[in-house]
Amino acid sequence: MKIAFIGLGVMGFPMAGHLQNAGHAVTVFNRSRDKAERWLASNPVGAIADSPAAAARDADLILTCVGNDDDLRSVVLGPNGVIKSARPSCIVVDHTTASAKIARELHSALAEKGIDFIDAPVSGGQQGAINGQLTIMCGGDTEPFAKVRDVIGVYARQVTLMGPAGCGQLTKMVNQICIAGLVQSLAEGVQFALKAGLDAEMVFDVIGKGAAQSWQMVNRHKTMIDGQFEHGFAVDWMRKDLAICLEEARLNGSHLPVAALVDQFYSEVQAMGGGRWDTSSLLARLRNHPD
Amino acid sequence: MKIAFIGLGVMGFPMAGHLQNAGHAVTVFNRSRDKAERWLASNPVGAIADSPAAAARDADLILTCVGNDDDLRSVVLGPNGVIKSARPSCIVVDHTTASAKIARELHSALAEKGIDFIDAPVSGGQQGAINGQLTIMCGGDTEPFAKVRDVIGVYARQVTLMGPAGCGQLTKMVNQICIAGLVQSLAEGVQFALKAGLDAEMVFDVIGKGAAQSWQMVNRHKTMIDGQFEHGFAVDWMRKDLAICLEEARLNGSHLPVAALVDQFYSEVQAMGGGRWDTSSLLARLRNHPD
């Protein structure tokens, strides 16, 4: 299959590589060309294009994985966007974590050209992208979903159609909402265990098998106890995602008091210089608090 | 072994039964005698005593599982308390969720009589007590712990000595702190998924395998979606436990903003008449919020 891959960030870079390794003809575009050249050095059978439009020409499947709604609108609908060259009957799949609104907007704009669009944000982080173990939450129509499912499945352990356009993004939002307060509570627990003079590793070994158990507790308590915050998803990205959640909550009438509060806590972590620390750095903020 | 069991609530009732079934000679005491009589009807080889002191006479091991610090002080140190009759070299193990302060106080008061004391709060809920699958977090000295470990192990899947007197209680506090914000975030996620018009069960099936996963998500999302809040630990008990956590945090200098906030949310659930609902009823509070 001829595939265009637009956006070679920490996620897109390995994802495009998996597609090339699976035998597809992958043409990449990245805003800063040096990353595209590094990708080509690792994937010498691929190709580099000079614009999203150039990458999308002749492609059967166009994948995007960029920063935010504006970047996404630009690479799809902009003057050098995918829509300028993509042929009817091709499919655009977007892996950006973005708003449900932009997903519906792109679905509708592309449909006018006979092009299908699927919003397909992922979870699993950089490690999941490298290992091909992402979870992909899709929104869109069933026919194009059936066509792309196995293709994008090369970097996923799970690819699910959640509903019509926007439903992939909405599902990703639920994921981030659930993580926000969970990580804060875990940080409060770690802080309390240390202040109480407990053997904190033993504490989480014990309670990590009961009703307080979480993936975050099992996988992050050791690095948190050690004060290491370089093990995953960055605070700057989490704030971007929480902004999307809080905006959507205004639209649908959800009440998110703890997600909103934790977003504010993350702004304090940013003020501490921790924008690139991982989400568990809420603990650093607690430690920074006077006794 | 001759065992006294004091406090036949939803936890103590089945725990005392496991000990009787394991072949020990169990004498029970409960403040309202009718529960003790119901227990004896199910465990006809046991016996009923008229006071904690009477139950404790000749016992090798005395177990307590009562409501709070005051109840515990009363059954151990009060005029008809265990301390009046317990013989030197016996061991008192307390399963109440209580403060670390009372645990240290009882450890010290009983030590003067040559009696060992172990604080041993549990997690796993009523179902865990019935199935004999509790997690028991102990604080105290190593010698008496070694003596009682296998005895109380009949109703536990895990019995761990966390450190000296009070450390069982402190570990239980970490557990409750971690659960508080986790359940609130899950409630916010469920609320958001429903308001967004998603297939909420599918959402949690998908995200329940990734970084947002928690025991609460896996085991409670269905009942939450259905608005059923009768599946576990009651809000009234959670507030009692959070009060202990927040008081201890004042002493040790921990900063627990979300645990404190969720405690306030639970007070709103109580005001809604939900004191006996389970902890996931934070969702009912969100639903009660105007759009």
Side-chain angles (χ1 to χ4, degrees):
Chain A
M1 195 179 264
K2 281 190 174 170
I3 297 180
F5 203 108
I6 293 159
L8 299 172
V10 294
M11 303 297 287
F13 192 105
M15 290 158 86
H18 283 295
L19 293 167
Q20 182 67 57
N21 290 342
H24 299 293
V26 180
T27 300
V28 299
F29 169 78
N30 194 66
R31 199 158 44 180
S32 47
R33 193 182 163 95
D34 61 320
K35 262 196 209 161
E37 276 163 5
R38 257 192 288 143
W39 184 86
L40 193 65
S42 315
N43 300 275
V45 195
I48 301 181
D50 284 328
S51 70
R57 202 179 316 278
D58 302 324
D60 306 301
L61 171 61
I62 299 156
L63 296 156
T64 52
C65 192
V66 296
N68 56 35
D69 280 25
D70 289 344
D71 297 337
L72 180 57
R73 188 179 286 106
S74 163
V75 301
V76 177
L77 304 182
N80 291 309
V82 160
I83 201 167
K84 299 297 181 201
S85 65
R87 50 189 187 69
S89 87
C90 81
I91 304 172
V92 177
V93 174
D94 174 44
H95 290 312
T96 311
T97 293
S99 70
K101 187 163 163 275
I102 183 86
R104 293 187 202 108
E105 179 187 332
L106 296 182
H107 183 272
S108 163
L110 291 166
E112 285 178 24
K113 305 268 180 177
I115 300 170
D116 287 301
F117 177 81
I118 293 171
D119 52 296
V122 304
S123 75
Q126 186 176 4
Q127 211 51 49
I130 292 167
N131 301 339
Q133 294 289 310
L134 295 169
T135 294
I136 310 183
M137 299 153 270
C138 300
D141 304 310
T142 51
E143 266 189 63
F145 174 76
K147 286 182 193 159
V148 303
R149 180 184 196 142
D150 290 347
V151 182
I152 63 179
V154 299
Y155 42 74
R157 64 174 173 196
Q158 186 172 219
V159 186
T160 312
L161 184 64
M162 304 305 302
C167 286
Q169 297 298 350
L170 292 167
T171 301
K172 178 72 189 278
M173 292 178 213
V174 177
N175 190 74
Q176 303 303 67
I177 291 164
C178 289
I179 286 177
L182 189 165
V183 173
Q184 171 64 22
S185 278
L186 178 56
E188 292 183 11
V190 171
Q191 152 98 338
F192 183 97
L194 294 171
K195 290 267 192 187
L198 292 166
D199 177 336
E201 289 210 15
M202 184 160 62
V203 167
F204 291 101
D205 282 346
V206 168
I207 72 174
K209 295 177 185 104
Q213 181 277 342
S214 63
W215 185 96
Q216 298 284 340
M217 181 182 283
V218 172
N219 290 280
R220 291 281 178 269
H221 76 270
K222 283 206 179 87
T223 50
M224 291 172 81
I225 291 166
D226 294 342
Q228 292 173 10
F229 305 121
E230 281 133 34
H231 292 271
F233 194 67
V235 166
D236 288 343
W237 307 338
M238 188 63 172
R239 286 213 78 201
K240 188 206 86 175
D241 290 6
L242 287 173
I244 293 169
C245 297
L246 293 167
E247 178 61 26
E248 185 69 31
R250 271 181 213 281
L251 299 173
N252 71 24
S254 297
H255 181 48
L256 303 181
V258 164
L261 181 64
V262 172
D263 178 54
Q264 293 301 307
F265 290 166
Y266 279 126
S267 81
E268 293 179 45
V269 176
Q270 289 176 316
M272 290 167 66
R276 293 285 153 180
W277 296 345
D278 72 50
T279 50
S280 73
S281 60
L282 287 166
L283 177 60
R285 179 191 159 275
L286 290 173
R287 283 187 178 174
N288 211 32
H289 202 267
D291 285 358
Chain B
M1 196 179 263
K2 280 190 177 170
I3 297 179
F5 204 108
I6 293 159
L8 299 171
V10 295
M11 303 297 287
F13 193 106
M15 290 157 87
H18 283 295
L19 292 168
Q20 182 67 59
N21 290 340
H24 299 292
V26 180
T27 300
V28 298
F29 169 78
N30 194 67
R31 199 159 43 181
S32 48
R33 192 183 164 95
D34 60 321
K35 261 194 209 160
E37 276 163 6
R38 259 191 288 141
W39 185 86
L40 193 65
S42 315
N43 300 275
V45 196
I48 302 182
D50 283 328
S51 70
R57 203 178 315 279
D58 301 324
D60 306 301
L61 171 61
I62 299 157
L63 295 155
T64 53
C65 192
V66 296
N68 56 36
D69 280 24
D70 289 343
D71 297 337
L72 180 57
R73 189 178 287 107
S74 163
V75 300
V76 177
L77 304 182
N80 292 308
V82 160
I83 201 166
K84 299 295 182 204
S85 66
R87 51 186 184 73
S89 88
C90 82
I91 304 172
V92 177
V93 174
D94 173 44
H95 290 312
T96 310
T97 293
S99 70
K101 187 162 163 277
I102 183 87
R104 292 187 203 109
E105 179 186 333
L106 296 182
H107 182 272
S108 162
L110 290 166
E112 286 179 24
K113 305 267 181 181
I115 300 169
D116 288 301
F117 177 82
I118 293 173
D119 51 298
V122 303
S123 76
Q126 187 175 6
Q127 211 51 51
I130 292 167
N131 300 339
Q133 293 290 309
L134 295 169
T135 294
I136 311 183
M137 297 153 272
C138 299
D141 303 310
T142 52
E143 265 189 63
F145 174 75
K147 286 182 193 158
V148 302
R149 180 183 196 142
D150 290 347
V151 182
I152 64 179
V154 298
Y155 42 75
R157 63 174 172 195
Q158 188 173 217
V159 186
T160 312
L161 184 64
M162 304 305 301
C167 286
Q169 296 298 349
L170 292 167
T171 301
K172 178 74 188 279
M173 292 178 211
V174 178
N175 190 74
Q176 302 306 66
I177 290 165
C178 289
I179 286 177
L182 189 165
V183 173
Q184 170 65 22
S185 278
L186 178 57
E188 292 183 13
V190 171
Q191 152 98 335
F192 183 97
L194 295 170
K195 290 267 190 187
L198 293 166
D199 177 335
E201 289 211 15
M202 183 161 60
V203 167
F204 291 101
D205 282 346
V206 168
I207 72 173
K209 295 178 184 104
Q213 181 276 345
S214 63
W215 184 97
Q216 299 284 341
M217 180 182 282
V218 171
N219 290 282
R220 292 282 179 265
H221 76 270
K222 285 205 177 88
T223 50
M224 290 172 82
I225 291 165
D226 294 343
Q228 293 173 10
F229 305 120
E230 282 133 33
H231 292 272
F233 194 67
V235 166
D236 287 343
W237 307 337
M238 188 63 171
R239 285 214 79 201
K240 187 207 87 175
D241 290 6
L242 287 173
I244 293 169
C245 298
L246 293 167
E247 178 60 25
E248 185 69 31
R250 271 182 214 281
L251 299 174
N252 71 24
S254 297
H255 182 46
L256 303 180
V258 164
L261 182 64
V262 172
D263 178 55
Q264 293 301 307
F265 290 167
Y266 279 126
S267 80
E268 294 179 43
V269 175
Q270 288 176 316
M272 291 167 66
R276 292 286 152 180
W277 296 345
D278 72 50
T279 50
S280 73
S281 61
L282 288 166
L283 178 60
R285 179 191 159 276
L286 290 174
R287 284 186 176 172
N288 209 33
H289 201 265
D291 285 359

